[in-house]
Amino acid sequence: MKFVALLSGGKDSIYSTLRAIQNGHELVCCAHLAPMQQNTEEESYMYQTAGSEVVKTQVEECIGVPFYMREIHGQSKIKSLVYENDGDGSDEVEDLYILLEQIIANHPEIEGVSSGAILSTYQRTRIEHVCSRLNLTSLSYLWRMSSQRSLLDSILDDGEIEAILVRVACPPGLMPYRHLGKSLRDLRDKGVLDHLKEKWGMHPAGEGGEYETMVLDCPKLFKRGRLVMDETEIICDANDDGVGILKIINWMVEKKSDIDESANSGRTPILGHQRHITERVHAATSSLPDTSDCDPAEETTMCFLQSLHTPSVQMMRGGLCHVSAILSPVSCNEVTNEADAAVQEFLAVTQTLQHILSNHFVGDIPKTSSRDILYVHLYLSEMAHFAKINQHYVQFFGTHLPPSRACVAVGKGALPGGRRVMMDCILQRGSGGYLRSDGDSLDSDSFMNQAFQNKHHLLRKCLHVQSISHWAPVCIGPYSQANTLRSAVVFLAGMIGLVPEKNEFD
């Protein structure tokens, strides 16, 4: 697919761009979030800002593709691990959304976005959130690719990257006046990084924020030239002399005389990656039987039919609940198209489930909802119904930290009463809020707040990877790969064994 690379100018974003190209994707342009000029030293939770002044030159004169930049107007407002847009646009994540929206307007052929996230779930989930809103696929080829030491070797050796340190924040290991401007390769080869890891537990690849880099050359990507630093200045933090940045005052590009211009016009064939698209599903027209105009006899019959198929709701200690055998009150036999009839039954199933959530857990804070469901068993009479039902499934459960799911086709006539759809689900009250909160507000005796006070285990942990990476198959539906309950029980989604980085069978 054609993609835009999110570049900070550092080793991770450059190497991730290179890996995306090596996996068959086509680089169209690069995007950069820069600090506002009057706030050049303000720390961002999302973006590397050190060396920002050089990135435009790096992209246009070294790589040779269009460059797009936006100043960071927002702040790190939503600091919880999970990001949900609150609508006021004041978080720095929204700057990324605006920038990518502008780029798509100019390059509608773009389908993917590459980034250099290594271990930061904070960064990865925010990029995935923006991508889902813009119907883009996140390419995160460095995400949990290997150990940090091995990844550093891959960056320097496989990527042939030459980089210098432009920010350090690792006293007493890395110090501004001793290490800023030094070659990352030299620091590795001389054993400095390994020594600091053994002595102070420093992350060799700098993922703990110990250092940031600026790439001067990457021969496999920088086809036009390499950066040369002419004049720099070391600036130390006023409150901590162990933290400092390398301000780049003057720089130039050393042209590469052996450029093969024809190489820039030849493109790597695009592989058949499946595009992960979150559809904006229009509200489905209600297809449930309307009993408002029924006479008393018909209404009595309808209530009787509903009573025949009341779901089983089993409450357990600690807020755990199992809801099983959720069926449509009636089989939609009047609809001739089987898939449409299955959709109608599914809508009835979700309406029944919503009724249970609204009426069985009155007084829960936060209110128990579909966010608290961590696992779904979906039974269909035929797998051919799956595509249409999936459109309405995503509308009910959403795309943000959804439950894990197993979908099984059981065959015609296998479900009670000739139904086409049945659902079971497991929910943990308070777990949806637990995933989306930082635990600061503990003013009620709710399941969520009790969980935050429990230091022995996590109430719920969700693995929801939407980026194409070397590490995990991307979700191709509205489900999470895994949900872990109380740090003990793991609910795994049904998944096809695809090669993660290609979404293809080996």
Side-chain angles (χ1 to χ4, degrees), residues 485-505:
L485 178 66
R486 301 173 189 172
S487 301
V489 182
V490 180
F491 295 90
L492 289 173
M495 291 178 284
I496 301 172
L498 301 176
V499 178
E501 60 267 30
K502 295 183 179 180
N503 259 17
E504 296 176 344
F505 289 107

Side-chain angles (χ1 to χ4, degrees), residues 232-249:
T232 61
E233 178 186 358
I234 293 175
I235 301 176
C236 288
D237 191 306
N239 300 314
D240 188 346
D241 61 5
V243 177
I245 64 170
L246 185 72
K247 182 179 180 180
I248 304 170
I249 301 172

Side-chain angles (χ1 to χ4, degrees), residues 161-223:
I161 283 175
E162 298 297 335
I164 59 172
L165 271 59
V166 292
R167 184 178 186 271
V168 295
C170 185
L174 296 174
M175 299 299 293
Y177 288 101
R178 183 183 305 171
H179 297 109
L180 282 175
K182 293 294 192 291
S183 163
L184 180 62
R185 183 180 299 277
D186 286 348
L187 293 175
R188 181 202 64 171
D189 293 347
K190 293 176 180 178
V192 174
L193 300 179
D194 289 333
H195 172 72
L196 294 178
K197 180 181 183 298
E198 294 174 5
K199 188 171 183 179
W200 305 106
M202 190 193 90
H203 294 115
E207 183 63 6
E210 295 90 345
Y211 66 87
E212 294 173 356
T213 61
M214 173 57 60
V215 173
L216 304 182
D217 196 14
C218 175
K220 295 178 180 179
L221 186 61
F222 291 17
K223 300 297 185 181

Side-chain angles (χ1 to χ4, degrees), residues 39-198:
N39 293 321
T40 54
E41 295 183 17
E42 184 166 331
E43 185 176 1
S44 167
Y45 282 54
M46 269 290 292
Y47 316 112
Q48 173 181 319
T49 56
S52 179
E53 60 271 23
V54 183
V55 180
K56 185 176 189 294
T57 303
Q58 185 188 64
V59 171
E60 293 182 339
E61 298 187 39
C62 296
I63 300 176
V65 296
F67 174 73
Y68 292 86
M69 186 194 78
R70 175 179 169 82
E71 288 188 336
I72 304 169
H73 295 271
Q75 297 179 327
S76 302
K77 180 182 176 183
I78 303 173
K79 297 181 180 179
S80 58
L81 195 60
V82 176
Y83 179 79
E84 289 185 310
N85 180 23
D86 58 9
D88 68 359
S90 61
D91 194 279
E92 63 181 353
V93 175
E94 296 308 304
D95 290 306
L96 175 59
Y97 177 87
I98 294 170
L99 177 58
L100 289 179
E101 190 175 43
Q102 173 196 351
I103 292 171
I104 293 171
N106 293 332
H107 301 277
E109 71 276 16
I110 286 177
E111 297 179 278
V113 180
S114 73
S115 64
I118 296 176
L119 286 175
S120 174
T121 300
Y122 181 96
Q123 291 178 337
R124 177 182 59 81
T125 56
R126 279 157 173 76
I127 293 171
E128 290 177 347
H129 187 279
V130 170
C131 285
S132 69
R133 290 160 61 189
L134 293 170
N135 286 343
L136 297 171
T137 298
S138 172
L139 305 175
S140 190
Y141 284 106
L142 303 195
W143 176 254
R144 295 184 179 271
M145 178 178 165
S146 60
S147 68
Q148 286 208 40
R149 185 60 169 81
S150 296
L151 177 60
L152 179 62
D153 289 340
S154 295
I155 290 172
L156 296 177
D157 299 332
D158 173 62
E160 300 178 10
I161 283 175
E162 298 297 335
I164 59 172
L165 271 59
V166 292
R167 184 178 186 271
V168 295
C170 185
L174 296 174
M175 299 299 293
Y177 288 101
R178 183 183 305 171
H179 297 109
L180 282 175
K182 293 294 192 291
S183 163
L184 180 62
R185 183 180 299 277
D186 286 348
L187 293 175
R188 181 202 64 171
D189 293 347
K190 293 176 180 178
V192 174
L193 300 179
D194 289 333
H195 172 72
L196 294 178
K197 180 181 183 298
E198 294 174 5

Side-chain angles (χ1 to χ4, degrees), residues 82 84 366-374 400-401 427-437 447-448 452 459-460 483:
V82 176
E84 289 185 310
K367 186 178 179 181
T368 296
S369 69
S370 59
R371 290 180 168 187
D372 298 297
I373 297 173
L374 52 93
H400 193 48
L401 300 180
L427 67 94
Q428 170 61 56
R429 295 155 71 182
S431 67
Y434 179 87
L435 287 175
R436 295 165 172 83
S437 173
F447 287 106
M448 181 183 77
F452 277 119
L459 179 64
R460 180 180 171 188
N483 272 269

